Amino acid sequence: MARQTPYTAHPPAPPPRGPRGAGDVLRALLAALALAALLIALPVALVHFVGWPLPDSPPSLSTLRQPITPATFVDVLAVVVWLAWAQFTACVLVEVKAAVSGVGLPARVPGAGPSQLMARQLIAAVLLLGASAASLAPSLSSLAPGDAAPRRAPLTATAPQDPAAQRKQPGPSPEADRQRGTESRPGGTRGVAAVAPRPGVRATKFYRVQPPEGRHHDSLWEIARRHLGDGRRYQEIYELNKDRPQPDGSRLSLASLIRPGWIVEMPADAHGGDVVEMPGEAPGTGPGVRKQIAAYAETGAVHPTADGGPEARREDPRPPADHAASPASPSPAAGEHAVEVHGAPVAGLPEALLAAPLLAAGLLTALGRRRRAALWDAAARAVRPVRHRMPVPEGPATDAHDALLAGADPEAVRDLDRALRGLTRTLTATGRTLPAVYAAWLTPDALHLQLADEAGPPPEPWERGQDQLFWCLERAAVPRLSRDEETAAPYPGLVSLGTLDGARLLLNLEAVPGLVTLTGAPAARTAVLSSLAAELATNGWSDRMTVTLVGFGAGLPALAPTRLRHLPDTAALLESLEAETGHRRRALAAAGHDSVLTGRTGRARHAQSAPHLVLLAAEPSPDEARRLAALAADSGRLGIGYLLATATADVPGATWQLEITPEGRLIAPLFGLDLAAQQLPDAQHAAVVALFASATPTDDGPGPTAPALAVDLTGPTPPAVYARIIGPYRITGLDAPEAERGALLREALALLLLHREGVHPRVLAAALWPRGVTPDVHDALVTRLRAWLGSDPDGGPRLTTDATGRLVLAPSVVSDWDVLQNLHHQATTGRGAHDPAVRERFLTDALALARGPLLADRPEGRYAWLAHEIAEAQLRFLLIESALDLAAHHRAHDRPQSAATALEAALAAAPGDERLWHELLRTAHATGDVERLEAVVRRLLDHHAPPRALPPQTRALLDELAPAWHARAAN
């Protein structure tokens, strides 16, 4: 597939806002009067009533000794007023320039914080009624075009068609609206889903995408709004043109990504522009353009005719396989994408987590870290017996965990992280600083960064996007960084807001020049804030960060106690933020940096470069709102970002305004944003917090947790199917599956063996096909898996479905992992707890199962789901505990050789555990065999090469047992 260099990396604009109310008009008039009074009336009054305030001749010493008269006092005051007027005038000019250009942040007038803030608010009020309103938020307005931008006359051509098809068709019925996901209501529908092509309308016209005019760019929404009368019909244009080859060899794969010079086919009721009967007769076009339109018309496929039936105009010249292989076709909305990617049933799983792949991946990674840390923390406490089993989630927590497993996209997180860190490394190597980034669009194929200001040519392998403010990197070209090349995370404040047609928008809260406000229903606002907080706390593309939650999310700090903190109200926040803002200003000045981004490149990383993001759900008082606005005025360069969820958008210092609609759309009319919002509603919020709160071994319960499946290989009825998954994967009791499908069947069985509680079909589909699968393929695999496993002698199937719809293995299907857990349980809390001989036998049998790591011979590229499993850590844990207990038992009975054998078996599976090395050193020393001790020391030093990597406790033990180890290390 040809490389695509997208033209617009933004979603279509929403419908134009209706007429402004009387309050808006009055506010604009008052602001205009205030500006006129301050800029014109004030100097005129000074000239008329005071005159020239300065003396006519240079002052002398005698002047200083003269008494101060009322006239002198008035002249001094007049000078002060003139200086204040000049400063305010400069602020107005700076803000007007920024509003008109729409590029970058407004320049800061020295010492004019309050004056510049007042000028910004007055200019904003005056321009609110004009077409330049979107430019009040610098550069972000180019995420979607403005409505009133001057444009060249578009080129629209008509291809030959049946005259009967040109008759005007009746408008869509309410039923047709419902089928398209819309609803007929007065005043139109806001934030509706993409609509399907209207029945009875043939696509026969063509439009050539125009180059940008100023800040404004062409988009499918804007084309539909101008030529079809409704921007929401952009999906019709997309469906007519997706995956068709463009003149430059690329294809339209996302509705939000088009580029100048492309040709798009239009529905027959398109109007406006230079409409002609034949593509070759389009006036004002050269022969090359006419040839391109005619050639593009030849690539058209089947379209509906006036009677609703298909008309085979021209078949697509590409083979059907190309359609199946297209990575972005189809491009559903966020919720549909989550369901369609893995294709399996989703009953019982929360859609909010399924539709948030970056959030889900971060939560899973953080949850795994928490569980592993809790596991080893329990071992460090040396309480016998140590509980190794994690509590199995129940109720909503189970569904939430399954949704995380099914919805996570770790590859996207990895690509985003490597792309951003690679950009830092490349810019540092060339002596350049990081550009300020307002937003990023992550698509299945590429990452698009939107810069706050032009930053020169992008470094390779990055390319220029739609204009000089966009840098683009295809995901296939993301650099692979080694550990030596790891560098600081450049944009840790990026966080997902929502999706449009498979493209995910991440806003850089750290770079926002002022406050971001979020309006809407209280529950929806909190759901958005909770999603932002959870992703910021656990994402994989940031290092250090502080996220302060105000007025919501008291339980969320459990996700990341070192990152998240909760405050009850705004008053508690302002005191600490005012001090921190002043400290950051002084620290940047002392370091000679103009922003925190400067401190993230080069070898010297600035101490204050970690971002601090503030998410507020508590309504501030008027005084608190003014203090917040003053803090946010300079927050962008300091690395402090503010997002305020409020009932009204009329907040001082609010630069960007977002709204969450009842339909779950996140919109910003001034910026042309209309997304499927990413949310974490209260139910999923509580379930996720419960998962993290329970991520600890059950050390303090009434007793140890028994294994999920009781296994006794010595009993009268051995298992019908026995799978060895510790070490190389081997299965006995089943016929070998057919070679073509064997790998998938074996992997599915391994996943089920590690989850005796059952696996949701959606989780199984996501594990086996991380890039997506259709329901028929998934269902066929489950059918084959049932047939392969077969039935027990009593006729019961070995693969069943429980009441919750999860796939569960019968007790007759057993793995060595089940056996290991049972042996350890029997040795520590069962029959071996009070009988040393029985205990020794159970522990010896357990260590005999240590044949290597879990699924040691798994093929490369498969079993990626193991990264989210705790079983690998639990396996090492059980083998280490069994070896330590058995070695202590043998040493107590003066059998050091047997103790060493037990420790060696565990070291083969966990060579990095220091406790095993310590016990092996003690055991070798207890034998009195100097050569044996020296051999263990050599192995230990080789494992920890260079010797300075030895932990302090290991050094101390070597000094005690083998003082000559330093000489060996030197050799």
Side-chain angles (χ1 to χ4, degrees):
M1 184 173 179
R3 171 173 292 197
Q4 293 188 28
T5 304
Y7 162 52
T8 55
H10 54 273
R17 181 173 174 175
R20 302 285 178 174
D24 293 332
V25 176
L26 179 61
R27 188 178 297 110
L29 292 177
L30 291 176
L33 289 175
L35 284 173
L38 292 172
L39 296 179
I40 301 175
L42 180 61
V44 170
L46 287 173
V47 171
H48 178 75
F49 292 106
V50 180
W52 183 250
L54 297 178
D56 298 331
S57 59
S60 60
L61 291 177
S62 60
T63 304
L64 299 177
R65 292 193 290 268
Q66 294 178 359
I68 298 177
T69 63
T72 304
F73 183 73
V74 170
D75 287 343
V76 171
L77 286 180
V79 170
V80 174
V81 174
W82 273 110
L83 292 175
W85 173 85
Q87 185 188 59
F88 180 75
T89 302
C91 293
V92 171
L93 294 176
V94 167
E95 294 297 326
V96 169
K97 179 180 180 296
V100 172
S101 65
V103 178
L105 292 171
R108 296 177 62 247
V109 178
S115 296
Q116 190 163 4
L117 180 60
M118 181 174 65
R120 182 176 306 163
Q121 293 173 345
L122 291 174
I123 294 297
V126 171
L127 296 182
L128 191 61
L129 299 181
S132 300
S135 64
L136 296 177
S139 183
L140 189 63
S141 59
S142 62
L143 280 172
D147 290 327
R151 295 183 180 273
R152 298 183 180 92
L155 172 63
T156 306
T158 305
Q161 58 179 304
D162 182 358
Q166 299 183 24
R167 290 193 296 268
K168 186 176 181 180
Q169 301 294 332
S173 65
E175 179 62 27
D177 279 341
R178 285 191 293 271
Q179 291 175 358
R180 294 197 312 267
T182 63
E183 182 178 349
S184 299
R185 67 180 91 175
T189 304
R190 191 181 207 179
V192 295
V195 293
R198 296 185 177 182
V201 177
R202 276 180 49 194
T204 52
K205 297 181 181 178
F206 298 89
Y207 173 85
R208 190 165 185 262
V209 179
Q210 299 299 303
E213 280 286 341
R215 304 184 317 276
H216 303 281
H217 308 273
D218 234 345
S219 71
L220 293 188
W221 183 293
E222 186 69 8
I223 295 169
R225 188 187 65 82
R226 290 198 311 269
H227 299 294
L228 298 176
D230 186 353
R232 290 169 294 183
R233 293 184 61 188
Y234 79 93
Q235 188 72 10
E236 298 180 38
I237 307 175
Y238 170 70
E239 292 296 336
L240 292 172
N241 295 276
K242 68 177 181 181
D243 294 328
R244 291 170 62 179
Q246 291 291 337
D248 61 0
S250 54
R251 301 174 190 267
L252 175 66
S253 60
L254 287 172
S256 56
L257 301 179
I258 61 175
R259 58 182 296 186
W262 279 11
I263 298 166
V264 291
E265 191 168 357
M266 302 286 289
D269 59 338
H271 55 80
D274 300 323
V275 180
V276 295
E277 291 298 324
M278 296 287 291
E281 297 175 0
T285 62
V289 173
R290 294 195 295 269
K291 184 177 179 181
Q292 288 178 355
I293 296 176
Y296 188 75
E298 294 294 326
T299 66
V302 178
H303 298 291
T305 59
D307 61 359
E311 177 203 12
R313 257 201 322 153
R314 298 173 186 88
E315 294 295 338
D316 194 311
R318 290 172 294 153
D322 285 354
H323 295 278
S326 177
S329 178
S331 298
E336 298 166 338
H337 179 73
V339 175
E340 227 172 276
V341 166
H342 301 306
V346 295
L349 300 189
E351 183 66 24
L353 295 175
L354 289 171
L358 303 185
L359 170 62
L363 287 172
L364 275 181
T365 301
L367 185 62
R369 283 198 302 264
R370 178 70 55 83
R371 286 174 167 174
R372 286 186 288 271
L375 191 67
W376 296 112
D377 182 62
R381 292 198 294 269
V383 179
R384 294 291 187 272
V386 179
R387 278 71 165 178
H388 73 281
R389 289 184 57 80
M390 295 290 168
V392 177
E394 297 179 353
T398 302
D399 295 335
H401 189 251
D402 284 346
L404 294 178
L405 290 169
D409 189 351
E411 288 189 3
V413 173
R414 180 203 62 192
D415 289 347
L416 179 61
D417 182 46
R418 289 179 177 177
L420 297 178
R421 293 181 193 269
L423 178 62
T424 301
R425 180 172 55 86
T426 304
L427 290 175
T428 300
T430 56
R432 298 170 61 182
T433 59
L434 285 165
V437 168
Y438 278 162
W441 284 93
L442 183 63
T443 74
D445 300 319
L447 171 65
H448 309 268
L449 297 183
Q450 185 187 354
L451 313 184
D453 205 348
E454 186 175 357
E460 293 185 356
W462 291 79
E463 299 176 346
R464 177 161 294 183
Q466 65 185 66
D467 58 27
Q468 69 275 13
L469 294 181
F470 282 86
W471 287 0
C472 173
L473 176 65
E474 292 196 8
R475 289 177 61 173
V478 169
R480 297 183 178 273
L481 302 179
S482 65
R483 289 189 175 183
D484 296 337
E485 296 174 324
E486 288 292 341
T487 185
Y491 305 112
L494 284 171
V495 64
S496 301
L497 290 185
T499 57
L500 176 71
D501 296 319
R504 183 165 300 273
L505 172 63
L506 295 93
L507 181 66
N508 189 6
L509 283 177
E510 182 188 15
V512 173
L515 284 173
V516 178
T517 61
L518 174 66
T519 59
R525 298 198 309 255
T526 303
V528 173
L529 289 183
S530 297
S531 170
L532 298 177
E535 186 171 295
L536 289 169
T538 60
N539 72 58
W541 56 87
S542 62
D543 299 323
R544 299 177 299 136
M545 183 190 303
T546 299
V547 183
T548 300
L549 316 179
V550 183
F552 81 101
L556 283 176
L559 274 60
T562 60
R563 280 196 184 186
L564 295 181
R565 67 168 181 165
H566 174 264
L567 296 177
D569 51 40
T570 310
L573 168 75
L574 287 172
E575 182 177 355
S576 63
L577 258 294
E578 288 172 340
E580 180 179 348
T581 298
H583 176 69
R584 289 199 175 210
R585 287 194 183 112
R586 293 188 295 271
L588 283 178
H593 297 318
D594 56 350
S595 78
V596 294
L597 291 176
T598 309
R600 291 186 190 146
T601 51
R603 294 185 177 180
R605 290 177 55 191
H606 194 259
Q608 294 297 325
S609 63
H612 185 174
L613 305 177
V614 182
L615 307 178
L616 300 97
E619 291 283 356
S621 67
D623 178 64
E624 291 171 341
R626 286 191 293 271
R627 292 168 66 185
L628 275 175
L631 290 173
D634 193 30
S635 60
R637 72 184 190 92
L638 300 177
I640 305 177
Y642 299 86
L643 192 151
L644 171 62
T646 175
T648 174
D650 190 14
V651 177
T655 306
W656 297 350
Q657 298 175 356
L658 307 175
E659 178 186 351
I660 178 69
T661 70
E663 297 83 7
R665 308 291 297 181
L666 191 68
I667 64 174
L670 290 180
F671 311 146
L673 291 179
D674 185 352
L675 311 168
Q678 180 171 298
Q679 302 181 65
L680 189 63
D682 287 344
Q684 284 73 59
H685 174 161
V688 167
V689 171
L691 280 175
F692 278 79
S694 64
T696 178
T698 55
D699 289 335
D700 51 358
T705 304
L709 177 67
V711 178
D712 184 6
L713 297 181
T714 63
T717 56
V721 179
Y722 184 66
R724 293 184 175 182
I725 59 176
I726 301 174
Y729 191 3
R730 301 291 183 269
I731 303 172
T732 58
L734 291 177
D735 295 333
E738 51 184 309
E740 295 79 4
R741 309 184 194 277
L744 275 176
L745 292 173
R746 289 160 58 87
E747 185 173 356
L749 177 58
L751 179 62
L752 291 165
L753 287 168
L754 291 175
H755 291 276
R756 305 300 312 204
E757 72 279 7
V759 176
H760 195 285
R762 187 70 157 77
V763 176
L764 179 65
L768 299 183
W769 295 279
R771 296 182 179 273
V773 67
T774 55
D776 56 338
V777 175
H778 168 268
D779 294 343
L781 174 82
V782 174
T783 301
R784 292 190 190 96
L785 185 59
R786 291 185 195 274
W788 181 46
L789 291 174
S791 301
D792 287 328
D794 61 1
R798 292 172 182 154
L799 179 62
T800 60
T801 302
D802 66 8
T804 65
R806 289 171 171 81
L807 301 171
V808 181
L809 288 174
S812 59
V813 182
V814 175
S815 72
D816 51 357
W817 169 237
D818 298 318
V819 175
L820 175 62
Q821 294 180 87
N822 276 269
L823 289 171
H824 184 269
H825 177 73
Q826 290 293 335
T828 55
T829 61
R831 288 183 293 161
H834 306 291
D835 189 333
V838 174
R839 178 183 178 86
E840 176 185 343
R841 178 168 61 84
F842 280 134
L843 291 177
T844 302
D845 290 345
L847 286 175
L849 296 173
R851 291 184 293 270
L854 204 63
L855 298 164
D857 58 351
R858 58 182 181 262
E860 185 178 358
R862 304 295 311 179
Y863 297 83
W865 47 269
L866 274 174
H868 299 311
E869 296 288 337
I870 190 65
E872 287 190 294
Q874 289 174 310
L875 172 62
R876 293 192 298 271
F877 179 87
L878 283 185
L879 293 177
I880 291 169
E881 293 299 315
S882 298
L884 292 174
D885 289 347
L886 186 58
H889 172 81
H890 285 311
R891 288 178 58 190
H893 290 80
D894 196 24
R895 296 196 293 264
Q897 181 60 44
S898 297
T901 301
L903 295 169
E904 294 282 3
L907 274 173
D913 191 86
E914 292 301 312
R915 294 176 299 164
L916 293 176
W917 286 109
H918 293 172
E919 290 305 312
L920 188 59
L921 284 171
R922 294 188 182 101
T923 300
H925 183 267
T927 64
D929 188 337
V930 177
E931 292 184 359
R932 177 187 291 272
L933 178 61
E934 289 182 349
V936 173
V937 170
R938 283 196 298 271
R939 287 176 54 199
L940 176 63
L941 294 177
D942 291 341
H943 177 72
H944 289 85
R948 62 176 177 272
L950 282 170
Q953 291 183 349
T954 305
R955 285 174 171 267
L957 185 61
L958 285 172
D959 290 339
E960 174 65 24
L961 302 180
W965 75 272
H966 292 283
R968 299 188 186 92
N971 295 331

